[in-house]
């Protein structure tokens, strides 16, 4: 959905589970700068401006769609 990459989808899932960007970066083995770049890309692709908007949008999607690449 929204043309998210696999990494971006994983990031959204982690944020929905309550992880911070920093925690996600450590778990995913990427730099915080990379994770923040992924957040910016997700916000652009989803047409949202803030994490809260993104999480509301993601929560409204059926579970199967939220994990598609």
């Amino acid at each position: 959905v929204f043309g998210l990459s696999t990494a971006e989808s994983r990031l959204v899932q982690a944020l929905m589970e309550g992880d911070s960007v920093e925690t996600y970066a450590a778990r995913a083995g990427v730099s915080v700068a990379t994770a923040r770049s992924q957040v910016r890309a997700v916000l652009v692709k989803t047409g949202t401006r803030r994490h809260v908007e993104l999480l509301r949008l993601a929560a409204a999607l059926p579970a199967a769609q939220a994990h598609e690449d």
Side-chain angles (χ1 to χ4, degrees), residues 31-64:
S31 71
V32 173
T34 295
R36 287 184 179 147
S37 177
Q38 290 172 334
V39 169
R40 285 190 297 274
V42 169
L43 294 176
V44 168
K45 289 180 180 181
T46 59
T48 55
R49 292 184 183 189
R50 300 177 305 151
H51 287 194
V52 172
E53 290 176 46
L54 172 63
L55 296 179
R56 284 185 190 143
L57 176 64
L61 294 173

Side-chain angles (χ1 to χ4, degrees), residues 1-53:
V1 174
F2 301 109
L4 300 183
S5 70
T6 300
E8 291 165 347
S9 295
R10 287 185 190 135
L11 169 63
V12 172
Q13 184 63 37
L15 294 175
M16 290 187 65
E17 291 172 358
D19 285 352
S20 67
V21 172
E22 293 78 10
T23 299
Y24 166 78
R27 288 186 184 169
V30 299
S31 71
V32 173
T34 295
R36 287 184 179 147
S37 177
Q38 290 172 334
V39 169
R40 285 190 297 274
V42 169
L43 294 176
V44 168
K45 289 180 180 181
T46 59
T48 55
R49 292 184 183 189
R50 300 177 305 151
H51 287 194
V52 172
E53 290 176 46

